[in-house]
Amino acid sequence: MTEKTALILLGCPQVPVQTSMALYLMHGLKEHGIRPVIAGTVAARKLMEVADPGRHYLEEMADLDDMIDEITGKRRDFDLCFVFIHNDSGVAYAGTMAYISQARLYALLFGEHAEDLAKEIEFPCEVVAAKAVHNPMPLKRKLDEVMQWAVSK
């Protein structure tokens, strides 16, 4: 049996909770034997590197667009995909993943307009939305609920 993998897509780290929630998600995935891979913008990847200098959770990171090219070219795919979304471009990235990947897709919407952005999603995925900007707890609570069954399938 091959190891399960999860792709975590990180866009612009404009909203503070993204980095801490990505690390929290990676921790949860690893606890369940699922190997997390980060794909993100340069700024998002740098924040992750600084937040985890000992590479306890960061085993692999890649450029967001390079990863999309790999998946589009059928050179790689994942069992799970979590897309962090706080603006329209995040919704577009999640929509792209719904189209190109076989992964079970989770749209993690956060920030001031999380609920409004959730209404824009018209592709198959599990939507997790919380108005979390500086305090990660609303998104953490919802992610914990989703993680219960996401890792069990």
Side-chain angles (χ1 to χ4, degrees):
M1 188 168 118
T2 59
E3 176 183 46
K4 285 182 89 173
T5 58
L7 179 62
I8 300 171
L9 260 62
L10 303 176
C12 173
Q14 183 179 5
V15 179
V17 300
Q18 178 175 272
T19 301
S20 63
M21 286 307 303
L23 282 166
Y24 180 76
L25 175 58
M26 290 185 343
H27 167 77
L29 291 167
K30 286 184 80 146
E31 288 285 305
H32 288 91
I34 300 169
R35 186 171 161 275
V37 175
I38 293 286
T41 64
V42 172
R45 293 192 323 265
K46 291 297 180 191
L47 281 170
M48 295 299 290
E49 288 173 357
V50 169
D52 186 17
R55 295 284 179 138
H56 297 286
Y57 302 110
L58 289 174
E59 292 180 24
E60 181 182 354
M61 278 197 302
D63 176 77
L64 182 57
D65 294 323
D66 290 346
M67 184 59 71
I68 288 173
D69 288 345
E70 280 191 48
I71 295 168
T72 302
K74 306 290 184 207
R75 295 183 300 276
R76 187 158 195 195
D77 209 348
F78 297 84
D79 299 295
L80 305 169
C81 179
F82 297 87
V83 182
F84 280 81
I85 302 169
H86 76 275
N87 58 25
D88 290 336
S89 64
V91 173
Y93 276 118
T96 298
M97 293 307 297
Y99 178 70
I100 66 171
S101 176
Q102 296 300 310
R104 208 161 359 122
L105 180 61
Y106 298 87
L108 307 178
L109 297 109
F110 60 100
E112 286 290 323
H113 308 288
E115 289 82 14
D116 293 334
L117 283 171
K119 294 173 188 168
E120 294 180 21
I121 294 179
E122 298 177 350
F123 46 85
C125 69
E126 177 71 29
V127 175
V128 179
K131 191 174 180 176
V133 178
H134 294 94
N135 179 2
M137 296 313 288
L139 185 58
K140 178 193 174 296
R141 282 189 286 276
K142 291 192 175 193
L143 185 57
D144 284 343
E145 292 173 19
V146 169
M147 287 290 289
Q148 296 283 326
W149 55 269
V151 298
S152 65
K153 290 186 178 183

